[in-house]
Structure formats: C-alpha cells, structure tokens
Amino acid sequence: MSATDRARRTNFLLDVTLFVICILLLTPLILLIANGFKTPQEMLVWPPTLFPKDPTLENFHKVFTETPLLRWMLNSFLFAILSTVAIVATSALAGYIIGKFPFRTINIIFILFLATAIIPFEVYMIPLYFQVKALGLLNSVGGLLVGYLVMSFGIFLIRQNVIASIPDELLEAARIDGAGELWIFWYVVLPLLRGPLAALAVLAFFQAWTAFAWPIIVMTRKKSFTIEVGLANFQSAYTVDLSLLSAASAAVMVPSVLAFVLLRRNFVEGIAASGMKE
C-alpha cells in the first residue's frame, strides 16, 4: 500500500470517527428538542422515542402563556450583554496597562488578579450578597452585574496578546507623532486586539447567560428571574414537568445559538483583521 493510499485511509477513518462523535454529541440535543413536541403520555414511554409520534405545540403554548419565559430571556440577555461589555472593557484596559507599563506595583496587582482565579466564586458569594443587599440592588440587573464585571482570565488573555502582538516600536512611533495614551489605546491597541477581544466576548457572554448560582440568590421575584433560574422553576418539590421543561429549553436555545453565530463571525473577522502588516 502506497503512502498516498495510507493517508487516504487514515483520513477516511478520522472522518468516520469525527462523524460518529458528532452524532453522539447531537443526540441529546435532538432528543431535547423532540421532547418539546411530545405529549405527556409519550414522555413516559420506555424506551424513549427519538422523534414524537404525534407532534404537538401545546407545550410551547403553555410555556409562553403560563410562564414569563420571554421576560426571563430578556433579563438574561440584558445581563449577558452588559456583563460582556464590562468584562471586555475592563480586560482590554487592564491587560494593556499591565502588558505595556511594567511597573513593580502593577505586576503585584496582576498577581493578585490571577490569585482570584483560584478562589471559587461560591467562597465569597454570600458576603457579596450581603453587600448587594445593603446597596438595595436585589432583584435588579445592577445586582447581578456586581459579580460579573471583571474576569481575571480575560485580563490575563489580553495581557498575553498585548505583549505578543503589539510591538513597543509602534506605540513609541505614535507617541513621537504626538498621540496621547487614550488615542493610542483606542485607535492603535484596540484594532489589533479585535480577535482576542471577540473570543473574550464569547466567553463572557455565555458565562453570564448560563449563570445560575449568583442569580438564584440575588433574584427572588419571579419576574426578575434569569433564564437559568426560570428553567429550574419548572421543577417542584416532588415532580419535574419534562414536557414543559423541554419546550422551554428548546425555545431558549434559539437566541443563544443566534448570539453564538454572531459572536463567532465577529471572532473570525477579528482574527483576520488583527496583526501587523508588513
């Protein structure tokens, strides 16, 4: 067997393996969407059916008419957008300063930022809750944002990219031409960091969108719930309404998938546009 034939055989086996893995990963997602169209009786059938025999929209009708699902989605979307903007802004500014102004005190601050990454959020979640309560920010987007304004990993990511992709000569040339530091940051540094910032935006958005522990203690009113807390509300003390929960989860996936597609496109464009041109 020639080297070309062996390479083709290897590539074919890799394609088959990846296809099987992809099917295995998509099966729970397909089953979740299919469950949203099943009747309560069909949900109890064993073994479970992959596709509904008698599809119905009753579950989706109940979800949108009997629960404030759209309000929960709006709360989560607003929270995720504001958190993403805050994290991208703070990470870009802090990462640039730490990466290009290496004073001893700044390095100490950077080490402290990294140290916070090893401390679980649950450790300081309760003290943070009492602070939010004292500020009167319970059941508000502002209260949610208190725990999601800064990301230590984001600062580290931007710092590494600033050091690796932005030469000091470029910044010095801008300063010689009379540019101020804010002008350099806005018109020189940020355009070169579009790729890393887009990747960070994806991480920050879905971190806030899927947040559960913090929103569940800050949001105590039903209309103030985020989508993750709202979905948990479908479970009572003794039962779980799988039909309604599946329908609600399927409906929630639509905006999250759209947001991922939009942010992913920006991520690819940012990578293509970043870097120095000779």
Side-chain angles (χ1 to χ4, degrees), residues 73-91:
M73 293 170 64
L74 179 61
N75 293 339
S76 289
F77 186 75
L78 181 60
F79 167 47
I81 288 294
L82 294 177
S83 176
T84 300
V85 172
I87 288 175
V88 169
T90 55
S91 298

Side-chain angles (χ1 to χ4, degrees), residues 107-121:
N107 291 331
I108 294 175
I109 294 174
F110 177 61
I111 293 174
L112 293 177
F113 271 122
L114 292 183
T116 61
I118 66 176
I119 303 175
F121 180 67

